[in-house]
Amino acid sequence: MLQLLIRITICISFYVVGAYATTDILRLLKGHPVSVGNKDCFCESCGCKLTLRQQIPIFSYLFRRGRCGHCGNVISSGNFILEVLFTVVFTFAAVITGFRPVVWIFCIIFYESVKLLCVVLFGKRGRELIQSLLFSLLGNAVNFSLVGILFFFHTLVY
């Protein structure tokens, strides 16, 4: 029973990391004036700060039909696609490998590769890019360390 609970927690953490990854990548791509280290999310159109409920990955996008809760403008489907991509890839990899710790390493490599590819191909280049990438890497280290702890507990229980 504990093993199942840890596996569910890992999948939920991948859901959250997928949302963070989306915000992180989109801010890096757009050269967003808000630091990638900032936890707050804003509407791209009106600039209003999104409430925690409005930031629930995937479900909030579907519930609001892809529109901002403040101004009603359409939110890019790229946000939704990235959230789904990361959540599905991470969770699928964990399930097919039986939640082995190697998946944790795969997820880090996959995420950082996608981020780097997006930034190189589509990102704005500026002086702040290196600083933003470092903040991004620091945030990812914290997020993936927490997921790593879950994999450690899973290994102990298994």
Side-chain angles (χ1 to χ4, degrees), residues 19-52:
Y20 173 80
T22 300
T23 302
D24 187 29
I25 290 173
L26 292 174
R27 285 181 180 175
L28 286 169
L29 287 178
K30 294 176 183 175
H32 199 281
V34 176
S35 164
V36 291
N38 188 335
K39 296 175 186 167
D40 295 329
C41 292
F42 301 89
C43 172
E44 296 173 16
S45 298
C46 67
C48 286
K49 181 179 171 183
L50 301 177
T51 64
L52 186 58

Side-chain angles (χ1 to χ4, degrees), residues 10-24:
I10 288 171
C11 291
I12 291 170
S13 69
F14 282 151
Y15 175 71
V16 173
V17 168
Y20 173 80
T22 300
T23 302
D24 187 29

Side-chain angles (χ1 to χ4, degrees), residues 94-109:
V95 169
I96 64 168
T97 62
F99 292 84
R100 289 191 175 84
V102 71
V103 167
W104 175 67
I105 294 166
F106 163 78
C107 291
I108 294 169
I109 292 169

Side-chain angles (χ1 to χ4, degrees), residues 125-154:
R125 294 182 188 42
R127 292 183 197 160
E128 299 82 24
L129 180 61
I130 299 299
Q131 181 182 4
S132 294
L133 283 170
L134 290 174
F135 273 120
S136 170
L137 195 57
L138 180 62
N140 296 338
V142 171
N143 289 334
F144 280 110
S145 293
L146 296 173
V147 176
I149 291 169
L150 293 172
F151 275 99
F152 174 74
F153 284 132
H154 182 269

Side-chain angles (χ1 to χ4, degrees), residues 22 26 44 61 66 74-84:
T22 300
L26 292 174
E44 296 173 16
Y61 184 88
V74 175
I75 298 170
S76 168
S77 60
N79 300 18
F80 178 73
I81 291 167
L82 278 173
E83 287 178 1
V84 171

